[in-house]
């Protein structure tokens, strides 16, 4: 399968290069950048991208304007980047034809993950491509496999759509199978902060992770609670 072509349109050059680097680490080498609506439209025609990442606020207009132009001639996935977090802005972005809306600040790994998700839905990215890119750097524990860049987790060969924090939790569990890991340790490793007062935050993320990896989340077989101590990731 031909490598997907990705267009990034953002007037923050450093941010563009950061995203490009994150994408390159995931095997996406065909990436072009533009800093305005006009340049983005020109690159769209010359580069013929399979997916576009558009900032909302651009020097000569809005990413919405460029998306409207693209939608007149193409149905490629479009991801919006914005410092605006209001629900109305997200609704507008999706209503005019955007496929995803990402609020700044964000993790470059999150961008790469969302790009993969959109390309898979469009039939332009397969697990075979990911396996070829990361075949020499993967960790397998039980039915789970994680690439060592810690951006993807698969269960029985199927990619799990996890958030960055959920991937971080899985990394901790997979490095310590069948061992009790304290709540303090999990939080400090994944969030990089002291655990004090964060019990509810961790519990919510564990619950959401169970919903994605367990057959019966209310009776978890993998992530089990050890009362008063923490959690154990059980694999055979």
């Amino acid at each position: 399968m031909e490598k997907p072509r990705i267009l990034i349109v953002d007037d923050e050059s450093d941010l563009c290069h950061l995203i490009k680097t994150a994408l390159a680490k995931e095997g996406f080498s065909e990436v072009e950048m533009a800093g305005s609506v006009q340049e983005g439209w020109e690159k769209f025609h010359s580069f013929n991208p399979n997916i576009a990442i558009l900032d909302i606020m651009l020097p000569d207009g809005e990413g919405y304007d460029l998306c409207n132009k693209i939608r007149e001639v193409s149905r490629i996935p479009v991801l919006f980047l914005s410092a605006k977090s209001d629900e109305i802005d997200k609704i507008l972005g999706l209503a005019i034809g955007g496929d995803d809306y990402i609020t700044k600040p964000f993790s470059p790994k999150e961008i790469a993950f969302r790009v993969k998700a959109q390309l898979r839905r469009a039939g332009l990215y397969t697990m075979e491509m990911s396996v070829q890119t990361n075949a020499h750097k993967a960790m397998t524990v039980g039915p789970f496999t994680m690439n060592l860049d810690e951006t993807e987790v698969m269960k029985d060969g199927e990619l799990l759509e996890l958030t960055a924090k959920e991937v971080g939790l899985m990394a901790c569990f997979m490095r310590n199978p069948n061992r009790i890991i304290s709540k303090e340790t999990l939080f400090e490793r994944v969030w990089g902060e002291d655990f004090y007062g964060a019990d509810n935050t961790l519990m919510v993320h564990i619950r959401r992770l169970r919903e994605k990896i367990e057959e019966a989340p209310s009776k978890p077989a993998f992530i089990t609670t050890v009362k008063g101590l923490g959690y154990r990731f059980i694999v055979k």
Side-chain angles (χ1 to χ4, degrees):
M1 183 179 287
E2 183 182 353
K3 286 189 175 182
R5 296 178 299 279
I6 303 170
L7 175 63
I8 306 170
V9 184
D10 195 306
D11 59 335
E12 295 183 51
S13 178
D14 289 345
L15 181 59
C16 284
H17 283 286
L18 191 65
I19 296 172
K20 184 175 181 179
T21 298
L23 291 170
K25 288 181 179 179
E26 297 304 311
F28 297 115
S29 56
E30 300 295 320
V31 180
E32 287 283 344
M33 300 179 292
S36 66
V37 172
Q38 182 60 35
E39 185 183 7
W41 184 232
E42 292 170 359
K43 285 282 180 72
F44 172 79
H45 285 289
S46 62
F47 184 51
N48 190 27
N50 301 115
I51 187 169
I53 303 172
L54 312 179
D55 188 24
I56 300 296
M57 304 301 293
L58 294 166
D60 57 344
E62 294 185 326
Y64 298 142
D65 302 326
L66 181 53
C67 181
N68 281 327
K69 287 176 173 286
I70 290 173
R71 282 290 170 259
E72 291 176 0
V73 296
S74 174
R75 297 304 305 171
I76 66 168
V78 172
L79 284 72
F80 284 116
L81 304 179
S82 178
K84 299 180 178 181
S85 59
D86 292 344
E87 185 176 14
I88 187 64
D89 295 305
K90 295 180 181 181
I91 292 173
L92 177 59
L94 298 174
I96 67 170
D99 297 278
D100 202 350
Y101 189 105
I102 306 167
T103 304
K104 299 178 182 178
F106 50 77
S107 161
K109 287 185 179 181
E110 180 185 2
I111 294 288
F113 180 85
R114 295 199 187 205
V115 165
K116 287 181 182 180
Q118 292 299 329
L119 288 172
R120 279 197 306 277
R121 293 187 184 109
L124 298 171
Y125 182 84
T126 65
M127 287 311 304
E128 286 76 12
M129 293 174 67
S130 177
V131 169
Q132 290 170 9
T133 301
N134 297 302
H136 63 290
K137 43 181 184 175
M139 170 174 57
T140 298
V141 180
F144 301 96
T145 299
M146 171 180 282
N147 66 336
L148 294 191
D149 289 335
E150 297 183 4
T151 55
E152 289 183 339
V153 181
M154 290 179 283
K155 180 184 178 184
D156 296 324
E158 295 291 327
L159 185 67
L160 299 170
E161 296 200 8
L162 307 180
T163 66
K165 290 292 188 291
E166 290 165 353
V167 171
L169 288 169
M170 284 298 294
C172 289
F173 286 133
M174 291 175 69
R175 290 197 202 100
N176 299 277
N178 302 311
R179 298 176 184 172
I180 297 173
I181 309 177
S182 70
K183 295 179 180 180
E184 291 81 1
T185 297
L186 280 172
F187 195 83
E188 288 168 7
R189 289 184 182 178
V190 177
W191 276 262
E193 302 173 8
D194 291 336
F195 178 71
Y196 181 75
D199 188 67
N200 189 58
T201 297
L202 180 59
M203 288 176 60
V204 168
H205 281 79
I206 292 289
R207 186 185 74 240
R208 291 174 179 169
L209 179 56
R210 282 171 169 160
E211 290 172 353
K212 296 177 181 180
I213 74 168
E214 302 279 2
E215 294 296 327
S218 60
K219 297 180 179 179
F222 297 110
I223 303 175
T224 61
T225 301
V226 182
K227 191 172 182 180
L229 294 177
Y231 298 95
R232 178 187 281 132
F233 186 60
I234 299 178
V235 290
K236 297 179 180 180

